């Protein structure tokens, strides 16, 4: 369990913080922390998906064709 507030480990960490402080965490702070961590996790998933899709054979073929075409243009310019 990772201690990221959106995941289960984060809920455990927040419960420990509440037990140490002996009062609940402010609801607005909790919303901001959980929303920002959710955005980071979703952004990371999109980042990984983007680079995984580039490894598919039909996408790789298109990218190789694009790179060869741009390399040919670079060699023709004086």
């Amino acid at each position: 369990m990772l201690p990221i507030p959106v995941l289960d480990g984060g809920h455990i960490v927040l419960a420990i913080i509440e037990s140490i402080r002996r009062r609940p965490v402010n609801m607005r702070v909790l919303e901001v922390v959980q929303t920002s961590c959710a955005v980071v996790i979703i952004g990371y998933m999109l980042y990984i998906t983007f680079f995984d899709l580039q490894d598919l054979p039909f996408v790789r073929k298109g990218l190789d064709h694009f790179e060869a075409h741009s390399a040919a243009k670079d060699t023709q310019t004086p």
Side-chain angles (χ1 to χ4, degrees):
M1 286 193 265
L2 297 173
I4 298 173
V6 177
L7 304 176
D8 290 338
H11 290 288
I12 293 171
V13 170
L14 289 172
I16 291 171
I17 290 172
E18 286 180 357
S19 68
I20 291 172
R21 293 179 61 213
R22 297 191 190 269
R23 60 183 173 155
V25 177
N26 186 351
M27 192 59 108
R28 179 68 182 146
V29 171
L30 190 61
E31 287 176 1
V32 168
V33 168
Q34 287 187 339
T35 302
S36 61
C37 287
V39 167
V40 167
I41 289 173
I42 292 169
Y44 184 65
M45 288 177 0
L46 291 173
Y47 175 80
I48 298 267
T49 302
F50 175 75
F51 285 105
D52 278 349
L53 288 176
Q54 289 181 1
D55 290 337
L56 293 174
F58 58 88
V59 176
R60 175 57 54 196
K61 183 178 178 182
L63 289 175
D64 290 342
H65 175 70
F66 177 73
E67 289 174 358
H69 184 67
S70 65
K73 277 188 177 181
D74 290 341
T75 57
Q76 291 176 357
T77 54

